[in-house]
Amino acid sequence: MPRRFTGGKLVVASHNAGKVREIRDLLAPFNAEVVSAGELGLPEPEETGLTFIANAELKALSASLGANVIALADDSGLAVDGLNGAPGIYSARWAGPTKDFNLAMKKIENALGQNPDRNAQFICALSLAWPDGHCDTFEGKVAGKLTFPPRGSEGFGYDPIFIPEGFDITFGEMDPAKKHEMSHRANAFRQLVAACFS
Ligand code: IMP
């Protein structure tokens, strides 16, 4: 049974300012006083989970137990069918220490080689954790196909090689507002809000 958030302080368990801003905006209607893990000086736990859900829960619980407040964390990435789900939870790590996504996209192209299966999904797990160890987690997905070379300069990460189902443009070519309506993150957020914030 999901537990409901009724207002007060909520830590976003991320050190990424863009993510914190996006979550603050999304939670504006729900009486949440949003602070980031960075603002509270909380350490970033190592992402040792083997699934998006495990990593989202690990990050949310670590922040919640560390700060003794309710915490929200996400974990996301691109899963390519022809690569047995890689890069998956290692999506950020495939870009290397310099976070070079041109390199990461090239790695995917090379790994696929002549494989005709170009199907892929973006996946996002969102977890809301409480200081007593309770947590509720929701997973959102968006299916599509990969295209090479990368197209478009909107978005971030792997957006320029991902064409969502029903479209013929990549997320990198799509109006960001449109992407935010239909993304894996939007889908997970809708589930979270319906279960825990409304
Ligand atoms: P996280 O911040 O550790 O969850 O890493 C997520 C990684 O997955 C990002 O660095 C991106 O490479 C990739 N990713 C997740 N969501 C998206 C998206 O909406 N567009 C493009 N890449 C994404």
Side-chain angles (χ1 to χ4, degrees):
M1 188 61 183
R3 196 180 283 178
R4 292 163 65 96
F5 177 87
T6 54
K9 195 180 260 187
L10 187 150
V11 180
V12 178
S14 170
H15 290 253
N16 175 332
K19 236 182 224 182
V20 174
R21 196 175 334 109
E22 193 177 312
I23 292 174
R24 188 174 271 139
D25 289 349
L26 283 159
L27 295 182
F30 302 108
N31 212 13
E33 190 195 316
V34 175
V35 288
S36 72
E39 281 161 352
L40 293 183
L42 296 174
E44 262 182 288
E46 214 187 320
E47 295 185 21
T48 52
L50 295 179
T51 61
F52 293 106
I53 289 177
N55 279 333
E57 290 184 345
L58 175 155
K59 288 188 264 188
L61 282 166
S62 158
S64 183
L65 300 172
N68 200 30
V69 287
I70 299 167
L72 180 66
D74 90 332
D75 198 57
S76 57
L78 179 71
V80 179
D81 290 8
L83 302 179
N84 297 318
I89 57 167
Y90 305 106
S91 292
R93 283 166 264 187
W94 270 40
T98 58
K99 300 193 192 317
D100 181 349
F101 281 95
N102 286 320
L103 171 75
M105 290 188 284
K106 194 76 199 162
K107 273 194 205 168
I108 292 183
E109 184 179 8
N110 292 343
L112 275 173
Q114 299 304 312
N115 189 334
D117 183 355
R118 301 280 145 154
N119 293 314
Q121 308 170 65
F122 272 124
I123 302 173
C124 173
L126 272 174
S127 182
L128 185 67
W130 303 68
D132 66 357
H134 177 92
C135 71
D136 295 304
T137 308
F138 305 89
E139 194 171 65
K141 295 183 182 179
V142 58
K145 282 196 187 321
L146 299 184
T147 184
F148 300 97
R151 289 174 6 205
S153 53
E154 301 288 357
F156 67 99
Y158 298 94
D159 280 344
I161 55 170
F162 185 84
I163 301 176
E165 218 166 72
F167 290 79
D168 53 17
I169 57 172
T170 67
F171 267 167
E173 295 171 308
M174 189 177 276
D175 175 1
K178 180 77 196 158
K179 180 194 163 189
H180 293 152
E181 265 172 31
M182 58 178 294
S183 75
H184 45 314
R185 207 162 286 105
N187 182 305
F189 248 100
R190 270 193 282 277
Q191 296 178 54
L192 169 81
V193 164
C196 303
F197 286 88
S198 48

